Amino acid sequence: MRLLIDAVGRVLARQGFREVKVNVVAREAGINKVLIYRYFGGLDGLVAAFAHNGDFWPDLDELTGGDREAFLALPLVERLVVATRNYMRGIRRRPLTQEILAWRFLEHNALTEALDSVRQSVGMQIMALVRSGLAVPPNLDIAALYAILGGTINHLSVRERTEETFAGLPLDDEATWERLEVMLARIIRSVLGNED
């Protein structure tokens, strides 16, 4: 099962969603294609297993910094700062996820939907945890803020794979990413009324 899940990731990263087919994945894994049906019920089940088990996306423990109690002790603004910072670091630690995100910008099909469902599920869980027990300011469009933060991080992380600079910032320099973390935190604090 692990060989097949890993093979999906390699095919996605190297060739994109169009090439994730039963025969291609089985050949990549060095396994008979019958096992895809036996273990996963078909290609859609295999891709869903990859999305859930392939370390494709940062999980709640990673996004909260590994200590949910400490995370929940923070005020709303700092929860969002921590989750955003950890999300950016988590995506940057996953070159395969960056490649898949790049392909995802170009394609939409049943396979991308399986990956999107996991991404959306984790996103909804962390945002519920961010808001847990706290009042969100009534004039704040929190969904729009999440979309801007996530979209920014996804875009810059994908660009990092293929471009040296963006807006004059060297993407291959860790100091740039530290600057981006600081600026994202300032934006969050400003929007939530806690600007330093």
Side-chain angles (χ1 to χ4, degrees):
M1 290 176 75
R2 183 82 250 165
L3 291 172
L4 287 164
I5 290 170
D6 292 344
V8 169
R10 289 192 305 274
V11 172
L12 279 170
R14 191 176 58 243
Q15 298 169 276
F17 291 99
R18 288 188 187 136
E19 291 305 313
V20 178
K21 300 174 183 168
V22 169
N23 289 333
V24 174
V25 172
R27 188 170 35 254
E28 178 74 27
I31 293 176
N32 189 310
K33 68 181 181 180
V34 171
L35 295 177
I36 292 173
Y37 297 97
R38 181 177 301 152
Y39 294 143
F40 303 101
L43 189 59
D44 290 347
L46 175 56
V47 171
F50 166 76
H52 287 283
N53 302 307
D55 193 32
F56 166 66
W57 212 249
D59 63 15
L60 286 179
D61 286 334
E62 186 175 354
L63 295 172
T64 60
D67 186 344
R68 287 193 200 184
E69 284 187 38
F71 181 82
L72 291 171
L74 297 171
L76 175 67
V77 64
E78 294 308 314
R79 288 182 193 178
L80 191 52
V81 167
V82 167
T84 300
R85 180 196 66 220
N86 290 341
Y87 177 73
M88 184 160 69
R89 291 177 181 178
I91 295 299
R92 290 191 64 231
R93 275 194 294 271
R94 291 173 170 83
L96 177 58
T97 298
Q98 293 169 347
E99 293 296 326
I100 291 168
L101 283 171
W103 279 106
R104 178 59 188 94
F105 292 150
L106 301 173
E107 309 225 10
H108 181 78
N109 56 40
L111 302 178
T112 63
E113 287 177 15
L115 295 171
D116 286 348
S117 74
V118 171
R119 178 177 50 84
Q120 290 171 1
S121 174
V122 171
M124 297 303 285
Q125 290 172 29
I126 190 61
M127 291 307 111
L129 204 56
V130 165
R131 294 186 310 260
S132 178
L134 299 174
V136 174
N139 62 340
L140 176 64
D141 187 347
I142 196 84
L145 179 59
Y146 297 159
I148 290 168
L149 295 171
T152 299
I153 292 167
N154 290 350
H155 180 78
L156 290 172
S157 297
V158 168
R159 296 289 285 260
E160 177 186 19
R161 305 281 298 151
T162 58
E163 297 181 30
E164 292 180 16
T165 62
F166 184 80
L169 297 173
L171 295 178
D172 61 350
D173 184 351
E174 284 305 310
T176 294
W177 292 93
E178 290 169 14
R179 287 174 65 190
L180 292 169
E181 283 184 14
V182 168
M183 185 51 67
L184 286 171
R186 285 192 70 192
I187 291 167
I188 292 165
R189 290 181 180 121
S190 178
V191 167
L192 291 174
N194 297 322
E195 178 64 33
D196 298 322

